[in-house]
Amino acid sequence: MRSAGGAASRDPVTGEIWREVPAASPEMLARAVAAAREAQPRWAASAVDARAQAMERIRQALFRRRAELVRCIRRETGKPDAEALAADLLPTLDLVRYFARIAPRELEPRRLTPSNPAVWRKRVRITAEPFGVVGVISPWNYPLMLPASATVAALVAGNAVILKPSELTPTTADLLGEAIAAGGLPAGVFTIVHGDGTVGAALCEQDLDKVFFTGSERAGRAVAEACARRLIPASLELGGSDAAIVLADADLRLAAQGIAWGRFTNAGQTCAAPKRVFVEASVAAPFLERLGEAMSAIRVGDTSDPDVQMGPLILPRQRDLIAAQRDDALGRGAAHLTGPPAGDRAPHAEPPVAIVDPRPDARILREETFGPLLAVVRVADADAAVAAANDSPFGLSASVWTRDAKRGRRIARTLHAGTVMVNDAVSVVGIAEAPHGGVKRSGYGRSHGVEGLRECVRTHAVVEDRLPGTPQSWWFGYSPSFLRDADAFARLVHGTSWRERLGGLTGAVRLMVKTWRNR
């Protein structure tokens, strides 16, 4: 057991706790935020190009230590080295490089002239200003990519960051922190504070300007409420119960393999994984046969063995939750497919299970499932599949499986989800350019892409008058003639016919001349 409120690196395969980290005290949080508040203006004042170069140094440091990071991720989460590398480290490297490349362009000030002739004398300059000090609260399932995506975007935008990683993966977070230190950032611009949910809650009460949170819906609501009390924004990536639609024209072997990987990668502990499959009844039987084959090929056990593809759940309580959802569906009459059991060296690992045709009110269809459990439901046709897919309180991502790309895109647009993939699942989260985030109870805000960078800045506009010695025509001095000429101006600019617009010309000119005469 870790100390109260603290963090612990625990091997999910053996149950061994190999490192403990004490929880940050309220005083430590206050000092970290105060140091960030002091350091941030200097960091924000540095050129965007310089900040981007610092991010590139961070990327190089992560790359140099990739083997150490992969081992640490496996030891703290139980996932195979292949997943630690391909699904956690490589997307992180891509994201850091992406934000470093786009920041100078996307954060560049914009200048424009208004379209309304009445204000043509104005010059508008729009800048992207950092929020200031932001908090990042991240989970354990992707302990490098998820904290890094928000942290790097916020840093390159000129913010200072306080990172509160999961209490289950503190060592991976510390390795990330060492890589960030190699970027040469000023002291105080980035700080890690360790601890459990109580530390995260306390961080939300500190003097922050924005909070980025990834985690459960329940915890996300608490973060949103804390931010609302302080009238600061939050970006929330919460739970998912992602739908996969398998159409009758799909390549069933491809669909079965892709859905099996998407659902059972990381032992099913992925927010943006296909968790509810809706398959057209005409192809349900062959699809289930191929799904069973794909599940049977998954090797479950001790992930220190390079041939093992799926390890244990990170905590025993996760097993209890999955077991309760599985037993609820089976108790209501659903059938099931089960993959191979774990070997003796990983007694805590769970086999992959697919629940076939659970009742609509089964917990597996109404709640988020965070483990190797998949629901498969036969539906009459594509319309029924879309209706069932959208009948969920969640909307993180979804997938459509079909040989008809045009039809796949059309169906994708009807799904209530932040992102939709056609003939793949989950991989969108690894695409640096693609915005990621949910709708409904899956949260709001976006990470990745230009939209993820924009989440880290507030828009600031300066409007300058290019004739500072000339009064404005709409200032005090209202009169019947002003009202008449202003209406004429409205007709000139917004009239619905050329006669109406031409009829307003004289009054509009008179209004402008009056402005010059009052100079």
Side-chain angles (χ1 to χ4, degrees):
M1 290 269 306
R2 67 177 184 272
S3 59
S9 295
R10 173 184 175 275
D11 188 333
V13 173
T14 64
E16 171 201 6
I17 293 178
W18 50 276
R19 179 180 178 232
E20 293 191 71
V21 183
S25 66
E27 293 75 21
M28 291 170 64
L29 292 178
R31 286 197 298 270
V33 174
R37 185 69 65 193
E38 182 178 354
Q40 187 271 332
R42 176 179 160 216
W43 174 243
S46 62
V48 180
D49 284 341
R51 300 199 298 266
Q53 290 167 11
M55 299 306 108
E56 178 58 23
R57 291 191 292 272
I58 292 170
R59 186 184 68 84
Q60 292 170 3
L62 289 168
F63 177 76
R64 286 193 300 270
R65 301 183 67 175
R66 62 191 182 280
E68 183 182 3
L69 280 159
V70 165
R71 287 194 301 270
C72 183
I73 292 168
R74 169 172 54 79
R75 197 172 182 192
E76 287 195 316
T77 66
K79 69 178 70 180
D81 284 357
E83 289 182 359
L85 175 64
D88 214 338
L89 176 59
L90 282 176
T92 301
L93 295 173
D94 286 344
L95 281 163
V96 178
R97 179 176 60 187
Y98 173 73
F99 285 130
R101 285 181 175 177
I102 71 165
R105 178 184 73 247
E106 295 297 332
L107 300 180
E108 185 177 7
R110 292 180 290 135
R111 293 174 175 81
L112 57 87
T113 298
S115 59
N116 185 344
V119 285
W120 275 351
R121 54 190 273 188
K122 307 298 183 185
R123 180 190 290 115
V124 181
R125 186 174 188 268
I126 301 172
T127 56
E129 304 293 338
F131 280 99
V133 179
V134 304
V136 175
I137 302 174
S138 64
W140 46 263
N141 54 334
Y142 290 89
L144 184 65
M145 179 186 67
L146 290 177
S149 62
T151 295
V152 171
L155 287 173
V156 78
N159 298 282
V161 175
I162 311 293
L163 169 63
K164 206 297 286 182
S166 169
E167 66 272 24
L168 303 180
T169 53
T171 306
T172 302
D174 284 344
L175 290 175
L176 171 62
E178 291 174 15
I180 291 175
L185 281 62
V189 168
F190 175 76
T191 305
I192 296 176
V193 292
H194 286 294
D196 62 11
T198 60
V199 176
L203 179 60
C204 291
E205 300 297 336
Q206 294 290 325
D207 181 27
L208 302 178
D209 299 300
K210 186 169 184 176
V211 174
F212 293 84
F213 174 82
T214 303
S216 70
E217 177 199 351
R218 179 188 57 80
R221 286 181 182 274
V223 170
E225 290 168 1
C227 291
R229 285 194 299 272
R230 299 192 56 247
L231 290 178
I232 64 171
S235 178
L236 309 176
E237 198 259 83
L238 308 180
S241 185
D242 294 2
I245 293 177
V246 180
L247 300 176
D249 70 342
D251 181 328
L252 298 182
R253 188 172 300 281
L254 176 78
Q257 291 174 344
I259 290 171
W261 172 79
R263 171 67 285 212
F264 301 118
T265 186
N266 200 27
Q269 300 167 119
T270 301
C271 296
K275 298 168 184 176
R276 300 173 298 133
V277 178
F278 300 100
V279 54
E280 290 196 80
S282 62
V283 295
F287 170 76
L288 285 167
E289 180 181 353
R290 287 161 178 75
L291 179 64
E293 293 169 356
M295 290 169 56
S296 296
I298 300 172
R299 287 198 59 190
V300 183
D302 181 351
T303 47
S304 62
D305 180 345
D307 292 326
V308 167
Q309 297 165 307
M310 193 178 99
L313 296 171
I314 195 163
L315 286 174
R317 68 170 179 262
Q318 295 294 125
R319 300 173 64 202
D320 296 340
L321 244 159
I322 289 297
Q325 292 170 328
R326 179 196 65 213
D327 294 345
D328 169 75
L330 295 177
R332 296 165 182 259
H336 71 286
L337 301 171
T338 304
D344 294 338
R345 292 177 59 194
H348 303 299
E350 291 287 301
V353 175
I355 302 295
V356 182
D357 290 327
R359 283 175 38 172
D361 58 349
R363 291 178 59 185
I364 193 174
L365 294 178
R366 308 312 305 170
E367 303 173 353
E368 180 179 30
T369 54
F370 219 63
L373 190 63
L374 174 67
V376 182
V377 181
R378 296 171 230 252
V379 294
D381 53 30
D383 290 340
V386 170
N390 288 337
D391 182 23
S392 170
F394 298 102
L396 188 54
S397 67
S399 60
V400 182
W401 301 81
T402 176
R403 284 188 171 94
D404 185 338
K406 184 176 180 181
R407 188 184 185 203
R409 291 193 296 270
R410 186 173 65 250
I411 290 176
R413 288 194 295 270
T414 69
L415 294 175
H416 302 165
T419 56
V420 182
M421 301 199 74
V422 179
N423 294 323
D424 198 1
V426 182
S427 303
V428 64
V429 184
I431 300 173
E433 294 82 0
H436 174 64
V439 299
K440 299 192 281 190
R441 280 159 55 180
S442 289
Y444 49 82
R446 293 294 181 266
S447 63
H448 304 190
V450 174
E451 293 80 0
L453 182 63
R454 290 285 169 189
E455 287 282 343
C456 300
V457 293
R458 56 165 63 99
T459 301
H460 184 256
V462 174
V463 181
E464 177 186 352
D465 195 277
R466 285 183 278 191
L467 299 174
T470 304
Q472 309 294 334
S473 61
W474 53 83
W475 288 357
F476 283 133
Y478 306 149
S479 65
S481 62
F482 170 80
L483 183 60
R484 180 195 64 218
D485 293 343
D487 183 72
F489 184 86
R491 283 184 280 130
L492 173 67
V493 176
H494 297 287
T496 57
S497 70
W498 70 268
R499 290 180 182 276
E500 189 172 26
R501 291 195 296 273
L502 188 59
L505 179 60
T506 301
V509 170
R510 189 164 49 237
L511 186 68
M512 302 306 294
V513 169
K514 186 186 301 182
T515 299
W516 281 92
R517 285 177 177 172
N518 291 334
R519 193 176 172 197

